[in-house]
Amino acid sequence: MAQRIGSALQLKFRNGLMRIYSNEDTKCHSGEAEGCVKYQLTGYFPKHDLLLIEVDYWEGGDWLLVRADTGDASKVVSPPHYSPSKLWLVSVASSVGPSGPPNGIDIVPAAPDPSLKEWHYRVPDGDQWLYEFAGWDGDDRVKLFVTSTEAPTKPRPASVERRDGTWHLTEPK
């Protein structure tokens, strides 16, 4: 299903299609930040046949959850955590400064189901909150810890809750 051919990561999906993720090694070694990218297969979720690919740039990176049956991909901010019944996967990332993954939260259904929608939140520029995954409370609530970059204090609770089929962020208390 996955193999490294030189600097390329080749994936063969169960539907017969293939995708090649090619590293830009020349750009990465030239000292030029523009266009530097490297792909690495870093995980597999066998229950749902999902591959986790780390995408590294000169500064920062992304993660892709790729369905091994179709090749459909969802961009997430960090390696995800399963909900208790393995219905959902959540990724949470925050950092101060321009490098690292984008600050945000992603919730993706583990199995392909048109009735279950992905939810993505990116922290707006200038926002003071740093989010950290604190665990699941059932399958419809993600617990978060939130700290402020403006007045560092003890982390406060926050959450993302699923109501009427839609995810909603509850700001820090």
Side-chain angles (χ1 to χ4, degrees):
M1 179 185 317
Q3 68 179 18
R4 175 73 54 188
I5 301 174
S7 66
L9 174 61
Q10 177 180 294
L11 301 178
K12 291 183 182 176
F13 305 112
R14 303 203 193 289
N15 64 4
L17 297 177
M18 181 176 28
R19 183 173 303 133
I20 297 174
Y21 294 93
S22 296
N23 291 353
E24 294 293 340
D25 292 331
T26 305
K27 292 177 182 176
C28 296
H29 295 303
S30 72
E32 294 289 324
E34 186 68 32
C36 173
V37 64
K38 294 183 179 185
Y39 298 92
Q40 180 177 317
L41 177 63
T42 57
Y44 178 60
F45 295 84
K47 179 176 173 108
H48 294 99
D49 213 14
L50 289 165
L51 303 165
L52 181 64
I53 298 174
E54 183 177 2
V55 184
D56 292 316
Y57 305 104
W58 186 268
E59 287 187 356
D62 288 314
W63 299 83
L64 295 173
L65 270 175
V66 181
R67 298 203 182 277
D69 58 343
T70 63
D72 292 341
S74 298
K75 191 180 282 191
V76 295
V77 294
S78 68
H81 303 272
Y82 266 125
S83 66
S85 71
K86 296 187 172 17
L87 181 65
W88 298 97
L89 288 156
V90 65
S91 298
V92 181
S94 287
S95 64
V96 177
S99 64
N103 293 339
I105 305 165
D106 300 299
I107 302 175
V108 177
D113 182 341
S115 70
L116 301 177
K117 303 295 182 203
E118 292 185 5
W119 183 82
H120 303 278
Y121 173 76
R122 295 297 174 264
V123 178
D125 289 340
D127 192 275
Q128 69 171 332
W129 302 115
L130 298 174
Y131 295 90
E132 180 183 345
F133 176 71
W136 282 91
D137 183 7
D139 286 315
D140 293 326
R141 185 170 182 266
V142 178
K143 297 185 295 184
L144 304 167
F145 288 127
V146 182
T147 53
S148 172
T149 58
E150 294 176 1
T153 59
K154 186 172 116 177
R156 300 184 215 173
S159 65
V160 182
E161 297 179 17
R162 189 166 181 256
R163 296 185 303 268
D164 299 322
T166 306
W167 292 96
H168 302 274
L169 177 63
T170 302
E171 294 293 326
K173 299 175 183 175

